[in-house]
Amino acid sequence: AAAAGEASVEEYYASFSTPTLENTSYSEVQKLLLEGRPFVVLDGARGLPMASWDCDFVKKEFPDSRIRQEGGQSDINSIKMSSDWTNLVKPFRAADRFPPGAPKNRPFYWDIAKASEDEKHRKWGKSPREVVKKIVGSSAVPYWLPQQESTSMGSSSEMWFHPPGAGA
């Protein structure tokens, strides 16, 4: 229940559906950002150097890097990128009690660009600086955001990989 004088969640957001946008603009996206609403830009990577990157690409391009599967007990990157991790499907604890439509399986997370220098204990694999250099060099500002320095975006990037039924 909402506190006195506050709108309920349902009143504030009107729905729990996630808007999907395509061929959008910053002014359209900004409205959702200011409301705190999640959204999906279907063509969000259009024209970006990383637009074609998929699981197979990162496995081949960064074989000695390490990632982790979210929802576990550790922040250590224990899974080698060149392994068969794309077929490793593990449900979240208590996933059977999640609401209908909620992701039940754990995604993979790779935040090497923003954390490898300060969190060396997480085991990033071989040559993390070279990996970060490639990621930052392949970063660009999406068409639907205001122009800004892409290097800072690349240095704070995270990558999420979702096997079937997974989500973050």
Side-chain angles (χ1 to χ4, degrees):
E6 289 185 15
S8 70
V9 173
E10 291 83 3
E11 290 170 329
Y12 185 81
Y13 289 108
S15 103
F16 288 110
S17 65
T18 303
T20 56
L21 309 170
E22 198 166 5
N23 197 28
T24 189
S25 65
Y26 179 62
S27 60
E28 189 174 6
V29 166
Q30 186 179 32
K31 293 173 195 169
L32 296 168
L33 290 170
L34 292 173
E35 291 175 1
R37 292 191 64 195
F39 58 92
V40 174
V41 180
L42 295 173
D43 62 345
R46 183 178 74 203
L48 298 180
M50 289 182 179
S52 63
W53 289 24
D54 61 11
C55 295
D56 289 333
F57 176 85
V58 296
K59 285 172 73 167
K60 290 175 188 159
E61 190 68 23
F62 309 109
D64 296 319
S65 286
R66 294 183 167 273
I67 61 172
R68 75 170 185 257
Q69 194 163 26
E70 282 293 282
Q73 301 294 318
S74 174
D75 67 349
I76 302 299
N77 299 303
S78 61
I79 301 169
K80 194 168 181 181
M81 189 67 82
S82 62
S83 71
D84 193 29
W85 60 270
T86 52
N87 291 314
L88 181 62
V89 178
K90 289 185 180 179
F92 283 106
R93 205 170 334 123
D96 58 330
R97 294 193 303 269
F98 288 5
K104 308 260 190 273
N105 297 325
R106 297 165 41 194
F108 293 89
Y109 181 61
W110 194 36
D111 60 340
I112 190 169
K114 75 174 192 178
S116 62
E117 282 296 314
D118 296 332
E119 300 177 31
K120 293 183 187 337
H121 72 280
R122 289 181 46 205
K123 300 182 181 178
W124 299 98
K126 288 185 185 175
S127 308
R129 284 188 179 158
E130 291 302 312
V131 171
V132 170
K133 185 176 175 183
K134 177 131 189 165
I135 291 170
V136 171
S138 298
S139 297
V141 180
Y143 79 89
W144 46 274
L145 288 179
Q147 287 305 303
Q148 55 193 287
E149 177 55 47
S150 65
T151 304
S152 62
M153 290 181 78
S155 298
S156 63
S157 67
E158 302 175 350
M159 294 187 194
W160 291 85
F161 304 98
H162 298 200

